[in-house]
Amino acid sequence: MSPRLRVALLALSGLALLPGAAAVIAGLPPFGATIAQYGERINAIAPDARHVANMVSAINFDLRGLDTLGEEFMLLAAITGTVVLLRGHRGEGNSGRAMRRAGRALIPRSEAVVLACRIAGPLTAVFGLYVVVHATVTPGGGFQGGVILASATLLIYLGEGYAGWRDAVRSHWLDALEGGGALLFALCGLGPMLMGAAFMQNVLPLGTFRDLFSGGLMLIENLGVALAVTGGFTQLFLEFMEETRATDEPEEPGEESA
Amino acid sequence: MTASAAALLPLPVAIPLVVCAAMLATAHLLPGRLPDILATLAALAVAVLCAVIARHAAEHPLVYWFGGWEPHDGVHLGIGFSVDEASGWVAAFIGLLYAVTFVFAWGFFGRTHGHFHILMLLFLAAMVGFCFTRDMFNLFVWFEVMSVAAFALTAYHLEESALSGAINFTVINSLAGFLMLGGIGLIYARTGTLDFEGIAAAVARSGRDPVVAGAFCLVAAALMIKGAIVPFQFWLADAHAVAPSPVSVIFSGSMVSLGLFGLAKLSAVVFGGSDQLRHALPLLLTALGGGTALLGGWMALLQRHLKRMLAFSTISHAGIMLTGIGALSADGTGGMLVYLVGHGLVKGALFMVAGILLATRASIDEIALRGLGRGIGPAGIAMALAGLLLCGLPIGVLDQGTRLVQGALAQQGRGMALAAGAIGAALTGAAVLRAAGRIFLGLGPDPGDEAGAPSADEREKANRPLWLMLAPCCVLLALDVALPADLIEHAVPRAASAFLHRPAVAALAEGPAWLPWTSLTAALAGAGYGLFRRRLPALVVRPVSVTQSAPTRALEVLHSGLIGDYAAWLAVGVAVIAVVLGLA
Amino acid sequence: MTVILPLLFLLAAGSGTAVVLIRDPARQIFAIAVNGLVLAILFDALQAPDVALSELAVGSAAVPLLFLVALMAVRNQPPEEKS
Amino acid sequence: MSMLPYAVAAWLFGIGLYGIATSRNFIHLVGCLGICQSATYVLLLGLGYRWGSIAPIFYDHPPGTPAVDPVMQALVLTDIVVGATLTALLLVLTIQAYKRGGSLDPEILRPMRPGGQPDRGASRADDGERTAP
């Protein structure tokens, strides 16, 4: 099909869809008028039932924990896939050590960049940890914190250069971190079954409302997610970086993550 | 007894997940063959557990609430699994298919620290979760896990066509995921719940409602993309043709039909209460299904790349399954479920034959392989038998499913869909039989239109003995042929009614007995024409070639491999569904 | 609030359109990052701080970074000899 | 205003699809797919919003204060993970496809070209290629 024909086809089906879409939009409740009964109900009962302040975490780790389990394993699938697809080409043998492209000199980094990264890296990591541990009381949780932690390791890359990064971060540790985190989460599901409860039933003491240690089993699940996401995203960055080592210097990424 | 059986429900999902997480955590420590063994055992465990669950679900569906969040005052708070007999058996079949595939692929994925077994096990867990869940969003999560694992597996060969096939597959199926999520958002906003039963009750109350119809349109489009229904079918040929053969076994045998399984479940259980949909669906589904069956069959006949041919044949059979759903009756749906299992067994065996050719003869091209199959006769017999079964040889599970689907269609007077299904099956059977004759008997030195079809140079590692690859293939075929017919005949009416949440029926209608034989004869005639065209009188050959050339070229042009075209067709498909629903 | 929300929705539509219409991948990356940022602000205004934090970390940092890396990989590695 | 979020969601999906249909560069195409996905974020969060409600976090406000729908937010969180994984996978595929095919243009990188002939097949199939174009 020629591009013009393709756009015409697209526009035609867009036109055909227009009345339907209009009818659907008109049939929906007006924006901001009401929320669904399910969400209302959770807002009403979850603070009492699970002693947590953050309803989104309560849903993610308790009421609908199975979804998050699936989501974690989706991440695992994607990162395993990425590793296989990128390494299948490079060959697995040399993934453990830094290799350098022939004919490319090491480019010295400016003092300022190194210093900035050495300061920003730990700060980002601390912020990431903060986000992880406060999952049940304030916004954030294992996933968000894990991504921020992974960005902190990326700052090491900017500060110390590739070799330094490779020394600090080893590929099979990351596999272990990622798999271990996911395993921890899955075992949080199976553990309660051994005690005669339902899969992923919150059998641990729930703690006090608005306390850092509230939510019982959710805390462990959150930890599992944080480990898996940190390991997974670091692995992802690592594998992607491996693809670009012909470049001089990646530009400023990672700043917004803090 | 049933209470303890219900407690088993999380295990078929949890076991593969735990095994693959543990495998990843210890990836660099695992010795050579351990991933193969672990993965096979895990898949077998899933199959056995699902079979146990299915047996216990025969009386009434088993229900399990995760986290102990049972519904309270009619509000469903958590996620539930709800397994009826049919879902249980389908999941058991999928577990078995994986176990057999792991044996077939023994050592094939050796060099990657078990990463491929990790992906395959995730794929398995997602499929079982997809069969069991009774929660809309959970369904979406498993749908996406399935997709993500599949995307990575497709590109394993890292060849140019494998990569661009995988990109097409990924983009189209990602769009499917977004559509589905949009539909879920709409139905949640309308009904205030995500649970199947809760939504069904609210839909039945709502009457004619554009939001419900819109939600169904989006979700159905997503599942039809997964199920490769015209005009969403384009990705399938690209992806199945380039994926490693063990992965293609899973794709064709279970992933595609699972999309239709989901569609059957949703349209019967969740959206069944809407009069508007009940009026529109039979026409929509049988028309799309019939078209898909014909187009898939025709395209299959025109291929020379064996896996691509089988991919189109899968499209054709997906169309037949869709016509079964379209009957919206216990006969049609029961037939579709039986057909799903039978088709998975036969198509899995065929892709294994393709894998055997790739490994032992280092090619997948029908014309290049002419006569080269002589040394591996058993594979040829398997392929010929599978081809006969595909087009309607009246024995085995696949045939039983076919007759039930045909019975449902005949009862409702949908002659067009009935004919389209029979012709589609005959065409795919003809294609497979022609290829078998050419490869294993050296017939047909003078190829017709198929010579102009796309092909690629491909081979797979030949690191396994022939018997190790042949045994799983024969197991699948033997299962299809030898599963006792009266057992299925006895179980299907009950299981199909429970699947549809309807009162049980005593027996199901079957189609006319002559129809499979007609398909079979037509397939043999088609294969014979392809192989012996040089010996036929010009009076026969010329009109056929003249009439088939133009549409053939047009069809090949349509299957351009361009992602932009596929996106445009996707929009067309969604618009067609929306218009049909809107007019009802 | 009644003014800010519509404005943010329109901004999200606009920045999304920009991502599509900027055909040069190198410049598109900036559009993607801006779009991520706009979405994060929109989500925060919609009282979804959890989602906003995720979108900030993923949509305006991690994903543009991946795009950047992919672009560099493509630019710097001439394709291998085809066999 | 009451329809604006839904219209924006529909627009984003449409424009993303238009981008995919017309893109001549896979990296650009992946960006367009992200826009299609952001349509789902906007739709879901728009459906879960209620005027005058707080975020569903009862830290500064006591439980019982009207809050927006937390379920939609949980769904969107999962969706964002989906988006990140898909982007990563697609970019990997794109990089690899570029290395093999030497192009990022979908028109050039096709899965299988019509009439493609296997190299080794030609000699084996004695007259197999006769009718090939």
Side-chain angles (χ1 to χ4, degrees):
Chain A
M1 254 194 292
S2 76
R4 195 170 298 167
L5 186 63
R6 203 185 291 161
V7 173
L9 207 59
L10 205 59
L12 207 65
S13 34
L15 274 180
L17 278 170
L18 213 54
V24 170
I25 289 178
L28 283 171
F31 172 68
T34 175
I35 65 169
Q37 185 196 6
Y38 185 22
E40 195 86 281
R41 190 58 174 266
I42 288 173
N43 280 339
I45 65 159
D48 258 353
R50 286 296 178 259
H51 298 195
V52 292
N54 187 344
M55 292 302 104
V56 180
S57 291
I59 294 172
N60 269 334
F61 295 120
D62 197 318
L63 282 139
R64 302 181 62 81
L66 189 66
D67 283 345
T68 312
L69 183 70
E71 170 200 319
E72 241 26 74
F73 277 89
M74 184 194 313
L75 195 65
L76 192 141
I79 287 160
T80 311
T82 310
V83 169
V84 168
L85 294 181
L86 285 177
R87 268 190 213 160
H89 164 66
R90 286 196 297 266
E92 200 151 4
N94 48 23
S95 65
R97 207 179 330 115
M99 15 170 222
R100 223 164 284 291
R101 259 173 182 265
R104 191 169 78 86
L106 252 178
I107 290 160
R109 260 144 245 274
S110 76
E111 296 278 317
V113 171
V114 174
L115 189 67
C117 289
R118 282 187 183 162
I119 295 170
L123 282 179
T124 314
V126 169
F127 179 65
L129 279 176
Y130 173 86
V131 172
V132 169
V133 296
H134 283 76
T136 54
V137 280
T138 59
F143 176 72
Q144 294 94 329
V147 178
I148 296 172
L149 279 173
S151 325
T153 49
L154 199 72
L155 285 174
I156 304 178
Y157 173 86
L158 292 177
E160 314 293 326
Y162 183 76
W165 207 53
R166 259 279 118 96
D167 286 340
V169 182
R170 291 208 180 271
S171 174
H172 56 260
W173 295 356
L174 296 175
D175 275 348
L177 202 62
E178 194 191 348
L183 188 64
L184 185 63
F185 198 158
L187 291 180
C188 281
L190 288 178
M193 285 187 82
L194 293 179
M195 300 167 59
F199 189 88
M200 225 176 251
Q201 185 154 9
N202 205 332
V203 287
L204 296 182
L206 295 172
T208 10
F209 182 65
R210 288 210 280 188
D211 192 43
L212 199 56
F213 296 102
S214 56
L217 192 62
M218 282 186 228
L219 291 170
I220 305 177
E221 289 166 5
N222 184 47
L223 179 71
V225 171
L227 291 178
V229 172
T230 310
F233 268 81
T234 312
Q235 181 81 292
L236 196 66
F237 289 145
L238 186 85
E239 293 297 332
F240 263 78
M241 283 301 171
E242 196 112 339
E243 286 299 304
T244 58
R245 264 169 314 103
T247 58
D248 299 331
E249 192 113 36
E251 289 122 40
E252 48 65 42
E255 246 76 315
E256 304 106 299
S257 62
Chain B
M1 192 60 208
T2 24
S4 59
L8 294 177
L9 290 193
L11 293 181
V13 179
I15 287 173
L17 291 183
V18 166
V19 170
C20 80
M23 251 154 77
L24 182 64
T26 56
H28 64 292
L29 301 173
L30 291 181
R33 286 287 169 267
L34 198 60
D36 280 316
I37 298 168
L38 277 177
T40 314
L41 288 179
L44 272 179
V46 170
V48 171
L49 274 171
C50 290
V52 171
I53 289 170
R55 288 196 64 105
H56 284 285
E59 298 297 316
H60 50 85
L62 302 177
V63 179
Y64 188 88
W65 295 99
F66 283 85
W69 289 100
E70 301 196 352
H72 206 63
D73 304 337
V75 180
H76 300 90
L77 289 168
I79 297 175
F81 272 6
S82 177
V83 184
D84 54 278
E85 196 181 5
S87 308
W89 284 119
V90 168
F93 153 70
I94 290 171
L96 188 74
L97 190 67
Y98 270 85
V100 173
T101 307
F102 281 130
V103 173
F104 174 72
W106 200 266
F108 180 65
F109 294 134
R111 71 180 162 93
T112 42
H113 281 338
H115 278 153
F116 269 89
H117 299 92
I118 293 172
L119 288 173
M120 289 287 269
L121 284 174
L122 277 171
F123 206 3
L124 168 62
M127 285 186 178
V128 176
F130 189 87
C131 288
F132 283 5
T133 192
R134 57 176 288 166
D135 181 282
M136 263 325 238
F137 189 71
N138 198 236
L139 188 81
F140 167 78
V141 168
W142 297 126
F143 182 88
E144 284 291 337
V145 178
M146 219 151 74
S147 304
V148 169
F151 301 153
L153 286 167
T154 309
Y156 171 74
H157 281 314
L158 287 178
E159 278 156 5
E160 195 186 329
S161 46
L163 288 161
S164 40
I167 291 177
N168 288 354
F169 176 31
T170 309
V171 172
I172 295 300
N173 278 267
S174 306
L175 286 172
F178 306 159
L179 289 176
M180 187 160 176
L181 191 57
I184 292 170
L186 292 180
I187 199 72
Y188 173 63
R190 167 55 77 227
T191 62
T193 176
L194 289 166
D195 186 78
F196 284 176
E197 304 292 334
I199 297 174
V203 165
R205 278 197 303 272
S206 71
R208 191 185 167 91
D209 185 339
V211 180
V212 171
F216 179 79
C217 169
L218 294 178
V219 174
L223 291 168
M224 284 189 196
I225 291 174
K226 208 42 156 195
I229 298 303
V230 170
F232 305 119
Q233 87 287 13
F234 297 96
W235 64 268
L236 185 138
D238 291 346
H240 284 42
V242 297
S245 47
V247 178
S248 293
V249 171
I250 298 296
F251 279 8
S252 262
S254 52
M255 184 179 76
V256 171
S257 32
L258 216 50
L260 298 175
F261 173 86
L263 184 64
K265 204 175 218 177
L266 290 187
S267 47
V269 177
V270 182
F271 293 93
S274 159
D275 286 327
Q276 187 187 0
L277 294 178
R278 252 206 317 263
H279 286 142
L281 277 183
L283 175 68
L284 178 72
L285 298 187
T286 45
L288 286 179
T292 308
L294 285 179
L295 183 117
W298 188 249
M299 285 299 288
L301 199 58
L302 299 174
Q303 301 304 316
R304 60 188 278 186
H305 185 282
L306 211 52
K307 281 200 290 179
R308 198 170 147 90
M309 170 193 294
L310 295 177
F312 279 111
S313 127
T314 299
I315 293 177
S316 172
H317 293 277
I320 298 175
M321 285 188 236
L322 191 70
T323 57
I325 302 174
L328 290 186
S329 63
D331 325 58
T333 309
M336 178 264 173
L337 291 168
V338 177
Y339 197 97
L340 185 158
V341 174
H343 171 257
L345 293 169
V346 174
K347 196 54 68 66
L350 274 171
F351 269 107
M352 285 179 182
V353 172
I356 291 172
L357 288 169
L358 271 172
T360 60
R361 294 296 182 268
S363 177
I364 191 71
D365 189 85
E366 179 194 333
I367 296 168
L369 279 170
R370 186 170 78 84
L372 289 178
R374 284 200 180 100
I376 40 176
I381 296 171
M383 187 170 178
L385 176 61
L388 289 173
L389 288 170
L390 270 191
C391 60
L393 185 69
I395 42 169
V397 182
L398 185 60
D399 169 63
Q400 219 163 358
T402 314
R403 273 183 291 137
L404 288 174
V405 169
Q406 288 174 344
L409 292 172
Q411 226 173 23
Q412 303 193 354
R414 303 207 169 267
M416 295 287 271
L418 193 62
I423 296 172
L427 287 169
T428 68
V432 171
L433 289 174
R434 184 196 71 206
R438 190 169 276 153
I439 294 170
F440 292 96
L441 298 176
L443 300 170
D446 178 24
D449 280 319
E450 66 266 20
S455 188
D457 195 14
E458 215 182 308
R459 68 171 84 190
E460 281 177 4
K461 270 191 299 192
N463 57 353
R464 299 158 282 170
L466 180 64
W467 63 266
L468 190 62
M469 295 189 277
L470 209 50
C473 169
C474 296
V475 167
L476 290 183
L477 284 177
L479 271 177
D480 180 70
V481 173
L483 269 186
D486 41 335
L487 208 65
I488 299 172
E489 220 163 284
H490 180 65
V492 164
R494 186 182 62 208
S497 318
F499 182 81
L500 295 172
H501 292 212
R502 290 195 196 156
V505 291
L508 301 180
E510 291 202 350
W514 51 268
L515 204 53
W517 287 110
T518 319
S519 285
L520 187 66
T521 320
L524 286 172
Y529 172 78
L531 292 175
F532 300 109
R533 49 186 277 137
R534 204 151 57 168
R535 291 189 216 156
L536 292 174
L539 203 63
V540 183
V541 174
R542 189 165 308 142
V544 176
S545 1
V546 168
T547 45
Q548 78 172 26
S549 286
T552 299
R553 243 172 276 132
L555 279 180
E556 267 302 341
V557 168
L558 277 187
H559 291 79
S560 58
L562 291 177
I563 184 68
D565 290 357
Y566 298 180
W569 285 116
L570 187 145
V572 171
V574 176
V576 166
I577 299 176
V579 167
V580 173
L581 291 183
L583 292 179
Chain C
M1 216 51 194
T2 37
V3 193
I4 296 174
L5 268 181
L7 209 65
L8 282 172
F9 273 117
L10 289 177
L11 213 57
S15 63
T17 312
V19 172
V20 172
L21 295 184
I22 297 176
R23 303 249 164 198
D24 174 17
R27 272 182 288 168
Q28 193 204 20
I29 292 172
F30 289 100
I32 291 173
V34 169
N35 184 46
L37 203 63
V38 169
L39 286 177
I41 298 170
L42 171 68
F43 297 164
D44 196 54
L46 285 173
Q47 303 293 348
D50 279 277
V51 184
L53 195 58
S54 297
E55 179 64 23
L56 197 65
V58 173
S60 64
V63 164
L65 178 74
L66 294 181
F67 270 93
L68 191 70
V69 171
L71 200 64
M72 290 193 300
V74 167
R75 282 211 178 144
N76 290 311
Q77 298 191 355
E80 291 161 3
E81 282 303 303
K82 285 208 272 173
S83 53
Chain D
M1 176 57 205
S2 67
M3 303 300 162
L4 180 69
Y6 315 135
V8 167
W11 168 258
L12 283 174
F13 194 86
I15 194 81
L17 203 60
Y18 165 78
I20 292 172
T22 55
S23 182
R24 296 298 299 270
N25 184 313
F26 272 127
I27 293 184
H28 174 259
L29 193 146
V30 180
C32 295
L33 195 68
I35 295 305
C36 281
Q37 182 155 37
S38 67
T40 61
Y41 307 158
V42 171
L43 176 70
L44 263 62
L45 286 180
L47 287 169
Y49 184 71
R50 182 168 57 184
W51 292 111
S53 301
I54 60 161
I57 295 167
F58 301 112
Y59 193 72
D60 298 326
H61 302 269
T65 323
V68 302
D69 192 345
V71 177
M72 283 296 191
Q73 301 191 4
L75 306 193
V76 176
L77 270 182
T78 305
D79 196 21
I80 287 179
V81 180
V82 174
T85 57
L86 287 176
T87 308
L89 257 182
L90 269 170
L91 287 175
V92 170
L93 292 174
T94 305
I95 294 174
Q96 293 289 24
Y98 176 76
K99 285 185 185 166
R100 308 304 150 104
S103 170
L104 284 173
D105 190 345
E107 306 267 344
I108 296 171
L109 282 174
R110 295 196 193 184
M112 271 183 208
R113 291 179 194 78
Q117 283 115 44
D119 321 331
R120 287 162 303 125
S123 55
R124 282 197 206 147
D126 14 42
D127 45 3
E129 307 298 315
R130 214 166 53 191
T131 47

